[in-house]
């Protein structure tokens, strides 16, 4: 039981660090999300009863390519590769965009908003 106390205080310390440093929290969240994708692919492959070699043949890549995907060694996994891999296992891919709770409002609406504003003025002047 004495092992639980250090773990709890350590996790408390981790939480404090993440609360103090939004950039660190973002980096940790990104790393965890990448690991979730890799773990999901491994779990799906295993649920399908496929070896890496069998999956590689279905996707049309080499077994080492599947191993690299599952291990996270491919940092810029192409969406089409992910889609082909999922399809080979009878799965679909769902991409979800969410604003971070720590993110504030954007500082600028950018050029698109300025262009729209100019267009509205032009239309108003020409209608008069």
């Amino acid at each position: 039981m004495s092992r639980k106390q250090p773990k709890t205080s350590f996790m408390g310390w981790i939480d404090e660090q993440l609360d103090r440093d939004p950039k660190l929290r973002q980096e940790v969240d990104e790393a965890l999300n990448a690991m979730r994708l890799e773990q999901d692919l491994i779990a799906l492959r295993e649920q399908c009863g496929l070896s890496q070699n069998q999956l590689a043949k279905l996707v049309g890549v080499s077994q080492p390519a599947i191993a690299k995907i599952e291990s996270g060694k491919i940092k810029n996994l192409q969406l089409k590769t992910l889609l082909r891999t999922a399809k080979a296992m009878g799965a679909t891919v769902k991409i979800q965009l969410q604003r971070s709770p720590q993110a504030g409002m954007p500082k600028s609406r950018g050029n698109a908003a300025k262009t729209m504003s100019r267009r509205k003025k032009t239309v108003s002047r020409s209608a008069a």
Side-chain angles (χ1 to χ4, degrees), residues 14 25 36 41 55 73-74:
I14 292 287
R25 178 175 291 281
R36 282 183 196 113
L41 286 171
L55 178 58
K73 291 184 179 175
I74 295 180

Side-chain angles (χ1 to χ4, degrees), residues 2-103:
S2 62
R3 296 178 87 181
K4 271 193 168 188
Q5 185 60 29
K7 184 177 179 182
T8 302
S9 63
F10 175 73
M11 292 308 293
W13 179 82
I14 292 287
D15 288 340
E16 287 175 17
Q17 299 307 308
L18 294 174
D19 289 342
R20 287 184 193 161
D21 189 345
K23 184 177 178 183
L24 176 63
R25 178 175 291 281
Q26 181 179 358
E27 290 173 4
V28 168
D29 286 345
E30 288 172 5
L32 288 174
N33 284 333
M35 290 188 320
R36 282 183 196 113
L37 175 63
E38 294 149 10
Q39 293 302 313
D40 287 348
L41 286 171
I42 293 168
L44 183 60
R45 178 179 57 77
E46 290 174 349
Q47 287 172 2
C48 291
L50 297 172
S51 68
Q52 288 182 343
N53 195 42
Q54 291 168 322
L55 178 58
K57 287 178 182 174
L58 291 171
V59 176
V61 298
S62 66
Q63 179 275 327
I66 296 296
K68 286 179 184 177
I69 292 169
E70 290 183 353
S71 69
K73 291 184 179 175
I74 295 180
K75 296 300 177 194
N76 293 316
L77 179 62
Q78 291 186 359
L79 183 57
K80 71 178 186 177
T81 303
L82 179 60
L83 292 170
R84 281 192 355 238
T85 305
K87 184 178 179 181
M89 295 185 284
T92 59
V93 175
K94 178 182 176 183
I95 298 174
Q96 182 177 6
L97 301 176
Q98 288 181 279
R99 263 185 80 72
S100 170
Q102 294 85 14

